[in-house]
């Protein structure tokens, strides 16, 4: 992302008071206990098994580890996972905002 683009997004965010996930295309992660996980703004499922799931994001990826994982629903921008969730790991691209 170019420097001008970052400044424009920052200025737009300050002027319009938009949530960061909408403005910067960041994932919104909602965890209910350790049994249900919802991830918005994903770019697709790269790997899925009963114990691990890897999602592509606009900037990096997200790893979810647990037991008995299953995809309850998958939509173009949202995925909902059920099971026992033990670990969530965000792997960024290293780019700073």
């Amino acid at each position: 992302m170019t420097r001008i683009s970052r400044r424009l997004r920052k200025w737009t965010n300050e002027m319009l008071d938009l949530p960061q996930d909408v403005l910067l295309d960041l994932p919104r992660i909602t965890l209910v206990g350790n049994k249900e996980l919802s991830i918005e703004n994903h770019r697709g499922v790269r790997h899925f098994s009963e114990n691990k799931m890897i999602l592509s994001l606009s900037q990096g990826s997200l790893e979810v580890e647990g037991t008995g994982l299953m995809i309850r629903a998958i939509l173009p921008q949202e995925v909902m996972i059920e099971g026992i969730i033990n670990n969530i790991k965000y792997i960024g691209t290293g780019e700073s905002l």
Side-chain angles (χ1 to χ4, degrees), residues 32-94:
V32 180
N34 70 335
K35 308 228 183 274
E36 187 175 308
L37 179 66
S38 172
I39 302 120
E40 298 176 46
N41 297 331
H42 72 91
R43 296 288 178 258
V45 178
R46 289 186 11 206
H47 171 79
F48 182 78
S49 69
E50 185 178 316
N51 299 317
K52 187 175 188 177
M53 177 176 191
I54 302 174
L55 287 173
S56 292
L57 305 174
S58 63
Q59 298 176 19
S61 62
L62 187 76
E63 282 187 20
V64 179
E65 294 178 340
T67 54
L69 299 178
M70 62 183 261
I71 297 175
R72 184 172 60 152
I74 188 164
L75 303 167
Q77 292 292 315
E78 182 177 3
V79 64
M80 296 166 69
I81 304 166
E82 287 183 348
I84 305 298
I85 298 161
N86 298 325
N87 188 28
I88 301 170
K89 183 178 179 182
Y90 173 75
I91 303 166
T93 59

Side-chain angles (χ1 to χ4, degrees), residues 9 12-24:
R9 286 179 187 234
T12 305
N13 183 36
E14 290 170 359
M15 296 306 291
L16 299 177
D17 197 29
L18 293 172
Q20 292 278 334
D21 62 317
V22 172
L23 187 64
L24 299 175

